[in-house]
Amino acid sequence: MDKILVLDFGGQYNQLIARRVRAAQVFAEIKPYNKITPEEIALSGYRGIIFTGGPHSVYAPDAPRCQKEVLSLGIPVLGICYGHQLLAFLSGGTIAPAKEGSEYGKTEVQTQSSVLFEGVPKESICWMSHTDAVQVLPTGFHTIASSEKCAVAAMADDERKLYGVQFHPEVTHTVYGETVLHNFLFRVCGCKASWQMQNVAQELIARYRKKLIGKRVLLALSGGVDSSVAAVLLQKAIGDALVCVFVDHGLLRKGEGDFVERTFRDQFGVRLIRVNAEALFLHALRGVSDPEQKRKIIGEAFIRVFESEAKRLGKTDVLAQGTIYPDVIESGKGDSAVIKSHHNVGGLPERMGFSEIAEPLRELFKDEVRAIGETLGLPRELVWRQPFPGPGLGVRVLGEITKEKLELLREADAIFRETVDELAQKPNQYFAVLTESRSVGVMGDARTYGYTVVLRAVTTDDFMTAEWTRLPYEALEKASGRITNEVRGITRVVFDITSKPPATVEWE
């Protein structure tokens, strides 16, 4: 089986690079730049190496750098963003702050004839995110792409099969990014498409059957796609040694708790314990407005409930979670920057009453999780269910959380989702957010003063990047009319038209 090494230098999109490679049915694995030697790379049989992006400047004294010998192994290399600059730096080029200023977002790039750009128009849109740039090319390299502000948007040393691109081909905003990656994998590296998601599912089951043998496992089941797939994987791996605990924390969507219980207990026969912990969570969140603090409080409260249930059940060794890779990336990983702490990653307390944590989906993206769910035979209506964050409405009520605000948001969110569900084509995620903003309204010739609700809908395939969805005006009008008429306490409805980046999908 052909495989690609993704050498990790701490960027936000590093796992997304591996995801794109896997989507082409070529196996990819990520290794930190300082955890694998050139000798180990040479012995591992990689067909190619991809240097990832990262938040550093390559010329800084503490910049993450691999050994220069990696470029002399005879293995093709593709450098992306920081990796592009590092490739030039290690080869003797000069990198400095961009003379024309930084580039961020969609940028028009002009390409030249190159094996890397076969099938790519001479002018196309790419996603840029950099402040430094290659100022002087290394010996043996030539420019194969440029933009208005970046003279060396891509470079090549065809003889040694070393290539660098300043833009990010792994994100969907780069229109021909998939073509660029495919050219590197199949034309430069000579890979064959032989790796499939079904293999991943079987590998995970076998791995956790061995890892968890003789241990009792408590799974934190939210009822969402991620924890549901994790539950089925672990059930196939360890059977009756798994017990699922569903915490009804009072931050759920309308009807959510009953749906989860009915689905898993009645339909799948999973050993399920439902814990009503609304009072505990709302008390812990009282007076708290900071989103990071809310996430950490919710994360710790979850753990305390699980610890309590574990004690009641008897000796329980392992806490299992449906953590996926976007959670890990945004919570900070290695040299990556922290975007926001997820309740099941950065929100976990330092001391817990479990000997270990099992996260079988930790290295997978949402679309890969769904594919595994279908492979395992989960019903389509569950696999493709609307995503819902672990902290629930706790990160969709801005500012202090109260029961009154939660009830307002629950109703508004249900109305919006019902409206969108009637459309033939639906976004990948759609929900309502209750802001702290209040404004004057008029109903029945009388003055009202209520909250503002934001409607959010995004289209994405990996949740690392997302475009705001152009919903029909008629649907927005219907949702707005119903919310302001049916939910007393809400006087204004607005629609969020921000993509990710620069925003995140959730507001907090």
Side-chain angles (χ1 to χ4, degrees):
M1 178 179 65
D2 292 337
K3 59 182 180 178
I4 295 292
L5 170 64
V6 178
L7 211 54
D8 184 354
F9 293 96
Q12 292 297 325
Y13 301 141
N14 298 346
Q15 184 72 6
L16 184 53
I17 296 170
R19 165 69 191 95
R20 297 299 184 219
V21 174
R22 296 180 210 165
Q25 295 187 337
V26 177
F27 180 73
E29 59 183 355
I30 296 178
K31 299 285 186 180
Y33 71 94
N34 55 355
K35 300 296 184 182
I36 186 169
T37 66
E39 293 76 18
E40 290 170 330
I41 293 174
L43 293 172
S44 297
Y46 295 112
R47 297 301 298 265
I49 304 170
I50 298 179
F51 288 1
T52 75
H56 302 84
S57 294
V58 296
Y59 48 79
D62 60 346
R65 301 176 194 147
C66 62
Q67 297 179 48
K68 184 179 179 180
E69 288 74 18
V70 171
L71 306 182
S72 303
L73 298 174
I75 303 173
V77 175
L78 173 64
I80 296 175
C81 196
Y82 176 88
H84 161 75
Q85 297 166 15
L86 179 63
L87 177 60
F89 182 85
L90 294 176
S91 302
T94 302
I95 290 82
K99 294 179 180 179
E100 300 296 324
S102 60
E103 286 181 307
Y104 184 80
K106 293 180 180 179
T107 304
E108 187 175 277
V109 172
Q110 292 76 42
T111 61
Q112 301 174 19
S113 178
S114 169
V115 64
L116 206 61
F117 295 134
E118 288 191 30
V120 178
K122 290 186 177 181
E123 294 185 351
S124 63
I125 298 298
C126 298
W127 183 262
M128 292 281 196
S129 181
H130 69 104
T131 55
D132 292 340
V134 176
Q135 303 294 344
V136 179
L137 281 169
T139 301
F141 284 81
H142 62 280
T143 299
I144 56 174
S146 60
S147 68
E148 183 180 356
K149 292 185 177 182
C150 187
V152 186
M155 63 182 185
D157 180 337
D158 295 304
E159 185 176 341
R160 293 197 294 164
K161 295 186 177 181
L162 304 178
Y163 300 88
V165 293
Q166 183 59 71
F167 56 86
H168 287 271
E170 71 273 23
V171 303
T172 55
H173 299 27
T174 297
V175 178
Y176 289 90
E178 184 178 315
T179 302
V180 172
L181 289 175
H182 278 216
N183 285 338
F184 178 71
L185 295 174
F186 301 113
R187 296 180 183 275
V188 176
C189 300
C191 293
K192 296 178 181 176
S194 58
W195 187 75
Q196 298 178 354
M197 192 53 58
Q198 184 175 357
N199 300 340
V200 179
Q202 297 308 315
E203 178 189 332
L204 287 170
I205 291 170
R207 182 193 306 173
Y208 280 90
R209 179 177 292 134
K210 181 178 180 181
K211 182 178 181 179
L212 301 176
I213 187 169
K215 298 177 181 178
R216 295 186 63 184
V217 180
L218 185 153
L219 172 73
L221 179 67
S222 70
V225 176
D226 306 328
S227 63
S228 299
V229 173
V232 175
L233 270 171
L234 292 178
Q235 190 175 51
K236 289 182 177 294
I238 61 175
D240 293 340
L242 174 71
V243 59
C244 296
V245 174
F246 168 56
V247 179
D248 189 343
H249 47 30
L251 306 171
L252 299 171
R253 292 176 291 196
K254 188 175 182 179
E256 191 94 19
D258 293 340
F259 171 81
V260 171
E261 184 172 10
R262 182 173 59 253
T263 301
F264 283 89
R265 180 172 289 160
D266 299 343
Q267 187 171 345
F268 292 110
V270 171
R271 187 182 175 195
L272 177 68
I273 298 173
R274 179 175 179 176
V275 181
N276 187 348
E278 179 183 39
L280 170 68
F281 278 78
L282 293 187
H283 177 75
L285 291 164
R286 185 180 300 165
V288 178
S289 297
D290 179 72
E292 275 294 287
Q293 191 178 356
K294 285 197 286 188
R295 285 177 174 272
K296 291 182 184 299
I297 288 171
I298 291 169
E300 178 156 359
F302 265 119
I303 293 298
R304 300 310 169 216
V305 172
F306 296 139
E307 286 176 337
S308 175
E309 288 303 310
K311 288 179 182 177
R312 192 177 63 82
L313 290 167
K315 185 178 183 297
T316 303
D317 307 287
V318 182
L319 171 67
Q321 300 187 122
T323 306
I324 62 173
Y325 201 73
D327 301 339
V328 177
I329 294 173
E330 292 186 338
S331 296
K333 177 179 180 289
D335 290 314
S336 302
V338 175
I339 305 301
K340 58 187 179 184
S341 295
H342 287 257
H343 77 288
N344 54 345
V345 186
L348 292 177
E350 292 183 7
R351 299 181 62 185
M352 298 184 295
F354 298 93
S355 60
E356 62 181 289
I357 292 179
E359 297 171 317
L361 309 178
R362 187 181 178 88
E363 297 296 323
L364 300 177
F365 282 84
K366 180 72 74 172
D367 57 327
E368 293 179 310
V369 173
R370 293 189 196 279
I372 287 179
E374 290 186 327
T375 296
L376 295 174
L378 271 74
R380 184 173 177 81
E381 59 268 25
L382 178 60
V383 172
W384 291 96
R385 188 165 170 249
Q386 180 73 187
F388 190 54
L393 301 182
V395 292
R396 293 180 182 175
V397 170
L398 306 191
E400 182 182 2
I401 299 170
T402 66
K403 194 164 184 174
E404 175 197 9
K405 288 182 179 179
L406 288 167
E407 288 301 326
L408 290 175
L409 179 56
R410 249 189 285 273
E411 294 300 324
D413 179 72
I415 289 171
F416 180 48
R417 289 188 291 114
E418 286 172 11
T419 304
V420 176
D421 285 342
E422 295 173 356
L423 300 176
Q425 291 187 322
K426 301 176 184 60
N428 295 102
Q429 190 167 3
Y430 43 102
F431 56 89
V433 175
L434 186 71
T435 73
E436 292 186 274
S437 174
R438 302 184 74 175
S439 61
V440 174
V442 178
M443 295 187 71
D445 295 327
R447 178 185 185 276
T448 59
Y449 188 63
Y451 288 98
T452 299
V453 159
V454 177
L455 306 182
R456 177 78 159 142
V458 298
T459 302
T460 178
D461 63 354
D462 50 46
F463 286 87
M464 288 303 300
T465 61
E467 288 278 359
W468 67 274
T469 307
R470 280 67 172 168
L471 292 179
Y473 289 151
E474 295 79 9
L476 292 173
E477 181 181 29
K478 181 177 181 180
S480 176
R482 283 193 60 193
I483 289 170
T484 51
N485 277 281
E486 297 176 27
V487 187
R488 187 173 298 275
I490 295 176
T491 56
R492 197 173 297 269
V493 178
V494 298
F495 185 55
D496 183 351
I497 60 169
T498 317
S499 294
K500 174 186 180 178
T504 55
V505 174
E506 298 289 343
W507 272 50
E508 288 191 345

